[in-house]
Amino acid sequence: MIRALFFDLDGTLLSSGKKLLPSTVSALQSCRERGVRVYLATARSPRLDRTLGWTEAEFALFDGGLYCNGACIVHGTEQRYLYIDPDAARACIRQVARHPGIQMSLHMEGDLHAFNHHLPDHMLGPWGVTRGDILPLDEHALRHAVKILIYTDCLVGSTRPLPQELFPALQVSCGDGANLYLTDGGCTIQVASREASKHLAIEGVGRQLGLRPEEIAVFGDDLNDVEMLSHCPNSVAMGNAHPEVKAIAAHVTLSCDDDGVAHALKNILHLI
C-alpha cells in the first residue's frame, strides 16, 4: 500500500499556467484524508508564497517539501540545507564567463540570492526576491550556495536554449563536485550539491517515516526527475514529460493540463 507521495511542481502538480488545478487539489485532499502523506519534490525554493502566490491553503495540502532538487529539506520542524562545493561553484562562474550574455544565479539559505547580472525591477516579483535579498557574488555566496541556475533572458519565460557546449564543459569542470541537470528543453542548467538529489532526499524522509520503497510513489516530468523515478517502483511520468522520463517511469499519466495527477491517483495507483 502506498503511504507517501512525492510530487515535482512545474509541469507536474502545476498546470502550464503555474496553477494547481481544482482536480489536483481535490485529489491531494482525498489522499491525506486516507492517511497518505503528501510532499513536494521540486527544484524551486521554499518561498512559494512569493514565486507562486501560495497561501496557507496551498501549503496545508502538504506534509513537507524537498526543495532546490533535494538540497533544502523541510519536514516537520526540520529545515536542512546542503551546500554546493565552492570549487564547483567557481568552476560554474568560469565556464559561464566564457559565454557573453549567459546568466547565472546562486541561491543561498534563507532565499538570499547572488547574480552575475543585474536583475531588473520587473523581474523581482517573478523571482520572489527584494533588492535586500540580493547579495554580492563573492566568497560568502560561493560557500553558501544551495542551488545554482544557469539560463538566459532572466530565466522566467525564457525559451532560448543555452550553448550546446556549455553543459558538457560544466560536467568536466565540476567533476564530482556537483550534480548537474540540463532541463527545460536545454534552456536551463541546474546545479546542486553532490550529496543532494530528489532521490536521496526522498530516501531520507522514507527512512524517517519507516517506509519501504514500495510504499512510496513519485511524480515528475523533467530530466532532474529521472533519478527519483528510476529508483521508485511506483513512479509516474506526466503525459507532457520529457521522453527520457516517460521511458524510465513505471506509469505514464495524462498531461499536467489534463488532470494528470488526479487521473493517476484514481485510475493508476488506485488511492482515491
Side-chain angles (χ1 to χ4, degrees):
M1 177 182 176
I2 294 171
R3 297 171 56 196
L5 300 165
F6 293 84
F7 294 93
D8 174 54
L9 258 177
D10 296 272
T12 302
L13 270 185
L14 297 180
S15 69
S16 56
K18 305 301 181 184
K19 300 294 183 182
L20 290 169
L21 297 178
S23 64
T24 300
V25 172
S26 177
L28 297 182
Q29 290 172 333
S30 295
C31 286
R32 295 197 71 198
E33 288 168 2
R34 288 161 173 76
V36 179
R37 293 177 178 265
V38 180
Y39 296 88
L40 294 169
T42 176
R44 286 182 179 263
S45 79
R47 294 308 302 268
L48 304 179
D49 53 338
R50 291 187 180 185
T51 55
L52 294 174
W54 278 20
T55 66
E56 183 57 36
E58 286 81 19
F59 285 110
L61 295 169
F62 303 95
D63 293 282
L66 316 177
Y67 300 94
C68 301
N69 285 319
C72 173
I73 300 172
V74 179
H75 188 214
T77 59
E78 175 191 19
Q79 187 160 331
R80 182 167 60 91
Y81 290 88
L82 294 169
Y83 300 117
I84 297 169
D85 184 330
D87 288 336
R90 295 186 190 97
C92 290
I93 292 175
R94 289 195 300 270
Q95 289 297 334
V96 168
R98 297 177 180 178
H99 299 272
I102 300 303
Q103 300 172 343
M104 180 174 64
S105 72
L106 277 67
H107 179 191
M108 291 162 277
E109 183 176 350
D111 276 328
L112 299 174
H113 288 71
F115 296 90
N116 74 333
H117 63 100
H118 174 73
L119 192 69
D121 287 345
H122 72 276
M123 295 304 301
L124 294 174
W127 271 86
V129 298
T130 66
R131 286 290 171 210
D133 297 322
I134 300 176
L135 303 181
L137 185 52
D138 57 14
E139 189 65 22
H140 173 82
L142 291 172
R143 291 187 174 278
H144 294 85
V146 177
K147 179 179 69 175
I148 295 175
L149 292 177
I150 299 168
Y151 49 91
T152 62
D153 306 323
C154 294
L155 180 65
V156 181
S158 175
T159 58
R160 182 156 60 98
L162 293 165
Q164 291 186 356
E165 66 272 20
L166 180 55
F167 187 70
L170 284 167
Q171 289 178 307
V172 172
S173 296
C174 292
D176 293 332
N179 287 328
L180 286 83
Y181 307 99
L182 183 64
T183 61
D184 303 319
C187 295
T188 311
I189 294 173
Q190 303 182 26
V191 186
S193 164
R194 192 66 179 179
E195 288 75 39
S197 73
K198 293 184 180 184
H199 162 60
L200 292 174
I202 290 169
E203 275 195 337
V205 172
R207 284 194 298 270
Q208 283 183 279
L209 298 175
L211 300 178
R212 301 185 302 274
E214 59 269 23
E215 294 177 309
I216 295 172
V218 298
F219 287 64
D221 74 297
D222 211 339
L223 294 176
N224 59 323
D225 300 320
V226 165
E227 187 180 15
M228 73 169 182
L229 268 69
S230 63
H231 283 84
C232 182
N234 299 303
S235 57
V236 181
M238 304 303 292
N240 51 280
H242 188 284
E244 186 175 334
V245 177
K246 291 182 179 179
I248 59 91
H251 308 284
V252 178
T253 186
L254 304 177
S255 79
C256 62
D257 289 326
D258 295 315
D259 302 316
V261 167
H263 174 79
L265 293 175
K266 181 178 181 180
N267 299 306
I268 297 176
L269 300 179
H270 308 292
L271 289 178
I272 57 176

